[in-house]
Amino acid sequence: MPLEQETLGLLVGGFSSVFGIMVLTTLLLWRRSSTNNTAYAAVLAHFLFLSIALYFLLKAITFNVDHPMASEEISLRFGISGIIWSLSMVCLLIGLIKFSSTKKVY
């Protein structure tokens, strides 16, 4: 899929900066908290799988359309991206369940 020259760089730069802020915030919150280790680990796993899924998505978007089997390659990369994205959503769901099931001590 043809893109403008600077679009990919802006997309990667914007994603990386927002992603870095999210990971740093999660790590700082995890360091301050002595509980919910599984929940924080699941959220970080979500971020990891999400970044891998977006990597495959970017590879699909920027694939050379003049390649003889471009349609098949792009479809495969979209499929891989979707599977990894679903794994990231499962990790996020596990993290949310673990956060909501904790008992607070007053």
Side-chain angles (χ1 to χ4, degrees), residues 29 31 35 45 50 54 63 65:
L29 289 172
R31 188 168 180 230
T35 59
L50 183 63
L54 289 175
F63 193 77
V65 293

Side-chain angles (χ1 to χ4, degrees), residues 2-11 62:
L3 296 171
E4 292 290 327
Q5 182 81 21
E6 298 85 19
T7 305
L8 186 62
L10 289 172
L11 187 62
T62 60

Side-chain angles (χ1 to χ4, degrees), residues 24-42:
L24 281 174
T25 303
T26 305
L27 288 172
L28 288 173
L29 289 172
W30 190 0
R31 188 168 180 230
R32 282 191 352 191
S33 173
S34 61
T35 59
N36 297 331
N37 288 332
T38 306
Y40 283 111

Side-chain angles (χ1 to χ4, degrees), residues 11-67:
L11 187 62
V12 169
F15 170 75
S16 298
S17 60
V18 171
F19 186 79
I21 291 169
M22 291 186 322
V23 169
L24 281 174
T25 303
T26 305
L27 288 172
L28 288 173
L29 289 172
W30 190 0
R31 188 168 180 230
R32 282 191 352 191
S33 173
S34 61
T35 59
N36 297 331
N37 288 332
T38 306
Y40 283 111
V43 170
L44 287 176
H46 160 69
F47 292 149
L48 175 68
F49 284 127
L50 183 63
S51 66
I52 294 170
L54 289 175
Y55 170 79
F56 280 104
L57 184 65
L58 285 176
K59 288 294 181 184
I61 290 173
T62 60
F63 193 77
N64 182 10
V65 293
D66 296 327
H67 191 272

